[in-house]
């Protein structure tokens, strides 16, 4: 990992404040030096379950339940299962951006090499059967631009959201004929809001009606948009900027042509949320097996 911010060299101590870890007070090399994959997702409980799942898949059950290394704060959770970190990022790019940067610094201070990042999340689909997994081959903002715009020192800067096509294809290749769910490539629209920002008419505020919503959804579909969520653009743009291999893989929880509310029962919604985890776990196992073979 290369240091992308020279200012960090001047710090006597870097407090990774939102995960309650420090590069001086904690031995980050010893704790995290073996990390090869970081999987991000919105909710801490889901990421705890993913940590247990991947721990089981990697045959690490004997090491006990994965530990939350950010346990001294409840802003975010950072579970570790062998070479995999399972990290919660909250909702939206501003929340993601904070944890993303602290995790990049953490893997840098830990001396990790060749780390791959994933966002395994949820989304609303456009014309897809709910429970379908979308691997994002393109990510765009609400104006269909592939840029993550942010204001720095009063000026707007565009950070290009360049997708790693090889990683997308490798994830797609992790599909099995026996899967009970579909996995497709698609264009993901990253919105700044769940309600109006995604064209919903059931928020506390709304100045449009159903017919305008459907017109918009149809135009998105014509432009190749398959699903909508709230972090992909920042995630892909930050991976690209950090020179870290990264991909976004989200399950659709509803078809927005059928409605706005999430009416499916919670049990089924939870099951659907394991689908991107299953795909990514196959990728991780495959890559770890390749490394073992190369070294033997
Ligand atoms: C998907 O689900 C969340 C909103 O419910 C948000 O984090 C996202 O991207
Ligand atoms: N997450 C979103 O951002 N939108 C949806 O419709 C579902 C999950």
């Amino acid at each position: 990992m290369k240091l992308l911010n020279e200012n960090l060299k001047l710090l006597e101590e870097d407090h990774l404040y939102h995960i309650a870890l420090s590069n001086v007070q904690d031995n980050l090399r010893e704790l995290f030096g073996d990390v090869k994959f970081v999987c991000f997702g919105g909710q801490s409980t889901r990421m705890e379950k993913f940590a247990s799942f991947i721990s089981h898949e990697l045959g690490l059950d004997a090491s006990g339940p994965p530990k939350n290394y950010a346990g001294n704060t409840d802003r975010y959770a950072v579970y570790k299962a062998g070479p995999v970190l399972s990290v919660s990022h909250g909702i939206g790019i501003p929340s993601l951006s904070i944890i993303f940067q602290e995790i990049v610094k953490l893997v840098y201070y830990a001396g990790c090499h060749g780390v791959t990042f994933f966002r395994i999340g949820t989304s609303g689909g456009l014309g897809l059967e709910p429970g379908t997994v979308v691997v994002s081959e393109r990510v765009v903002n609400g104006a269909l631009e592939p840029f993550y715009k942010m204001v720095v020192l009063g000026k707007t800067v565009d950070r290009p959201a360049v997708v790693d096509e090889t990683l997308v294809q490798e994830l797609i290749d992790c599909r099995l004929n026996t899967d009970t769910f579909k996995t497709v490539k698609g264009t993901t629209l990253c919105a700044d809001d769940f309600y109006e920002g995604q064209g919903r008419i059931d928020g506390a505020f709304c100045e449009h009606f159903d017919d305008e919503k459907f017109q918009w959804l149809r135009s998105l579909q014509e432009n190749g948009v398959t699903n909508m969520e709230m972090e992909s653009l920042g995630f892909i743009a930050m991976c690209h900027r950090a020179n870290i291999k990264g991909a976004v893989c989200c399950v659709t929880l509803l078809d927005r042509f059928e409605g706005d509310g999430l009416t499916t029962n919670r049990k089924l919604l939870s099951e659907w949320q394991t689908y991107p985890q299953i795909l990514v776990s196959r990728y991780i196992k495959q890559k770890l097996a390749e490394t073992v073979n190369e070294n033997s």
Side-chain angles (χ1 to χ4, degrees):
M1 293 272 310
K2 250 178 72 189
L3 186 62
L4 294 162
N5 177 6
E6 292 295 314
N7 295 302
L8 293 178
K9 285 189 188 153
L10 307 173
L11 293 182
E12 273 173 31
E13 178 173 2
D14 194 349
H15 294 273
L16 304 177
Y17 168 66
H18 300 86
I19 51 177
L21 291 168
S22 143
N23 68 332
V24 172
Q25 294 173 51
D26 298 290
N27 188 341
L28 299 180
R29 276 185 184 266
E30 195 177 292
L31 295 175
F32 300 106
D34 61 340
V35 168
K36 289 282 175 220
F37 304 94
V38 183
C39 300
F40 292 85
Q43 296 152 260
S44 52
T45 46
R46 175 153 44 88
M47 297 324 286
E48 181 179 13
K49 282 187 193 147
F50 174 69
S52 298
F53 169 67
I54 193 76
S55 171
H56 179 71
E57 290 294 301
L58 299 180
L60 301 172
D61 284 343
S63 334
K67 177 178 165 185
N68 177 10
Y69 284 86
N72 286 333
T73 165
D74 55 10
R75 290 282 189 194
Y76 301 97
V78 179
Y79 291 94
K80 185 169 183 297
V84 182
L85 285 189
S86 179
V87 179
S88 67
H89 61 54
I91 292 186
I93 297 179
S95 178
L96 166 75
S97 166
I98 295 168
I99 184 68
F100 190 101
Q101 299 202 41
E102 292 186 5
I103 293 291
V104 170
K105 292 199 286 179
L106 180 141
V107 294
Y108 167 72
Y109 293 131
C112 302
H113 299 287
V115 182
T116 305
F117 281 16
F118 294 103
R119 161 163 153 70
I120 40 179
T122 59
S123 63
L126 294 185
L128 297 173
E129 187 188 335
T132 299
V133 174
V134 179
V135 182
S136 306
E137 61 174 348
R138 213 166 161 255
V139 291
V140 294
N141 62 19
L144 299 182
E145 302 160 328
F147 294 105
Y148 162 39
K149 285 183 198 294
M150 65 184 299
V151 179
V152 181
L153 301 182
K155 294 196 184 81
T156 302
V157 286
D158 281 344
R159 303 262 152 81
V162 182
V163 169
D164 183 324
E165 289 173 21
T166 311
L167 186 57
V168 168
Q169 191 54 48
E170 283 181 319
L171 273 180
I172 289 286
D173 293 342
C174 289
R175 285 186 297 206
L176 295 179
N177 290 336
T178 49
D179 281 343
T180 52
F181 56 91
K182 290 199 191 85
T183 301
V184 297
K185 279 189 202 175
T187 297
T188 303
L189 184 147
C190 181
D192 290 335
D193 172 44
F194 182 80
Y195 289 101
E196 284 183 286
Q198 297 185 23
R200 283 186 161 83
I201 60 162
D202 61 348
F205 315 107
C206 188
E207 285 155 28
H208 60 266
F209 291 96
D210 239 2
D211 52 343
E212 292 159 289
K213 177 185 84 180
F214 284 119
Q215 207 181 344
W216 182 62
L217 293 179
R218 276 192 298 272
S219 78
L220 291 182
Q221 205 178 28
E222 279 159 24
N223 280 286
V225 176
T226 44
N227 62 331
M228 280 187 232
E229 46 75 92
M230 299 180 62
E231 296 85 16
S232 56
L233 193 66
F235 187 83
I236 292 293
M238 286 190 284
C239 284
H240 179 66
R241 191 168 177 215
N243 202 19
I244 288 173
K245 226 161 53 145
V248 172
C249 180
C250 292
V251 70
T252 60
L253 299 183
L254 76 168
D255 178 0
R256 288 297 311 286
F257 285 107
E258 300 296 329
D260 292 344
L262 283 145
T263 51
T264 303
N265 68 71
R266 293 207 161 257
K267 198 162 167 267
L268 195 52
L269 287 177
S270 300
E271 189 191 319
W272 289 346
Q273 290 177 44
T274 63
Y275 297 166
Q277 305 180 0
I278 292 171
L279 200 73
V280 166
S281 80
R282 285 181 195 150
Y283 175 90
I284 292 175
K285 282 197 288 184
Q286 194 179 304
K287 288 290 157 188
L288 290 174
E290 281 169 21
T291 318
V292 170
N293 288 341
E294 278 163 20
N295 295 339
S296 62

